[in-house]
Each structure stands twice: as structure tokens, then as C-alpha cells.
Amino acid sequence: NAGVMQNPRHLVRRRGQEARLRCSPMKGHSHVYWYRQLPEEGLKFMVYLQKENIIDESGMPKERFSAEFPKEGPSILRIQQVVRGDSAAYFCASSQREGHYEQYFGPGTRLTVT
Amino acid sequence: KQEVTQIPAALSVPEGENLVLNCSFTDSAIYNLQWFRQDPGKGLTSLLLIQSSQREQTSGRLNASLDKSSGRSTLYIAASQPGDSATYLCAVPVGGNKLVFGAGTILRVKS
């Protein structure tokens, strides 16, 4: 059973470009979470999605950031017009059910904005 | 607002020592607590999940305990090895879905 997959593992973007980060949850998991780890900071929740629905986006910046989890295909975290402060490791996690169930994390995408 | 604190921030021990990592949380109304390991530049590996009804969980050389009333959890690592060197994170769920993480303890086991 493959784990949570994220791609790309490393992404370099110039200021002003768009970044698209992909996450495929574990087989059988329909709940996806995105977290961000800024340099020298802890992991912070960004958004929680189920198939075709955003359930909780309380941790996501209001501008330039969006997320989706379509009926078919991976979950996408999209950052428009990236700035240097967006440089971070972005982790995706998935769980089998809603609620207080164990979350399994992917290897992360390390975004560098130059 | 739930806050999670981990002490110490960093720990360096010689190989073979038993050690304890500490995690505290401000809101004791938690459903579970999860311990993770993060290697440099890598993702998170789940080590142990303790349900609120449990007092402890064991996996190999790892033992995690939970005291909800005092808002504390400890991760005990027996007979530490250089391969245990990593950052250890604890996290609790808030609002049913999002995890709140501590800042982590950076462990170095010297051979």
C-alpha cells in the first residue's frame, strides 16, 4: 500500500510565478490536509479537504493561496504570484476517516522562491 | 486556543542512553496525541498515537505515555542509537481535523 505521495519534491520558482503542489493520498483515504513548515518554524495547518469540498481553510492565507481536491486526481495546493516568504516545506497528510484519526504524511515539497 | 510545547528543544546523548522527551498541551480536552519523527529534509514518520483513553503505547524501544489531566505526554527511548538522531514532534488534533504541533526536540545520539 503506497504511502502519501507528493510531487514535485523540490520546486524552484521566481518571484511572481505560480507554484502548483500535488498530493495523492494513501489508497482508501478521502481526507487530505496541507501543512506548511517555514524555515526555523514549526508545522502549521493550512487547509483540510475532502473530495470536492474544502472543509476548513482557516490556516490558509486569504490571498494567492488556493486548494482543491477533485473527484478524480490528486489534491492541488496552488500559490499564485509567489514571494520569497512563501519559501517553505509544504506537507500533505491523509486520513481514512473524518475526525480524530491518525494522519499519514507525505515526504513534502520544498518550495524555493528566488 | 491549544498550544503545544516541547522540551528540551535539543538534546545530545551518548549511544546507549535511555532518554525522555517531553510534550505539554494547554487544553486537556484532547482525543489523542501523536508522536512523529522527522529526519532532515524529509517528511514525517508517525511513531505512536495514544488515544485519550490510553495511558501509554509501546513500539519497540519507544514508549509514549499520556496524562491528560496534567496536559503532558512523554516519549521514552530506550537504549538510544545513532540512527535515532532526528527531530521528534508531538501533535494534538483540534476541531476534529487539524493537528497542532510542538516546535520539536532535536535529538542527536553520538556514537
Side-chain angles (χ1 to χ4, degrees), chain B residues 7-47:
Chain B
I7 53 171
L11 183 62
S12 182
V13 301
E15 182 177 5
E17 269 204 12
N18 301 324
L19 55 98
V20 174
L21 308 181
N22 297 289
C23 172
S24 61
F25 42 94
T26 53
D27 185 348
S28 61
I30 62 169
Y31 286 87
N32 58 52
L33 183 144
Q34 206 166 347
W35 281 94
F36 295 89
R37 167 185 173 141
Q38 184 176 26
D39 292 280
K42 301 288 179 63
L44 278 69
T45 301
S46 179
L47 297 174

Side-chain angles (χ1 to χ4, degrees), chain A residues 7-58:
Chain A
N7 66 80
R9 295 290 304 278
H10 300 274
L11 182 62
V12 179
R13 285 286 178 267
R14 291 197 183 95
R15 280 178 296 171
Q17 289 185 320
E18 177 179 290
R20 292 172 70 89
L21 287 61
R22 296 175 191 78
C23 168
S24 296
M26 286 181 70
K27 187 176 180 180
H29 288 194
S30 58
H31 302 263
V32 167
Y33 314 80
W34 286 93
Y35 295 84
R36 178 166 68 173
Q37 188 172 40
L38 291 165
E40 307 305 323
E41 291 189 23
L43 275 150
K44 299 280 193 264
F45 167 82
M46 298 181 74
V47 62
Y48 163 44
L49 310 102
Q50 294 178 23
K51 284 284 187 181
E52 300 184 277
N53 286 302
I54 297 175
I55 307 302
D56 181 350
E57 57 183 346
S58 59

Side-chain angles (χ1 to χ4, degrees), chain A residues 53-91:
Chain A
N53 286 302
I54 297 175
I55 307 302
D56 181 350
E57 57 183 346
S58 59
M60 199 150 69
K62 294 289 185 285
E63 298 181 354
R64 301 187 297 107
F65 285 72
S66 63
E68 63 176 9
F69 189 15
K71 187 176 180 181
E72 301 290 339
S75 174
I76 306 287
L77 180 67
R78 182 181 178 207
I79 311 173
Q80 295 178 289
Q81 299 176 328
V82 296
V83 301
R84 289 229 171 100
D86 296 332
S87 295
Y90 292 82
F91 292 96

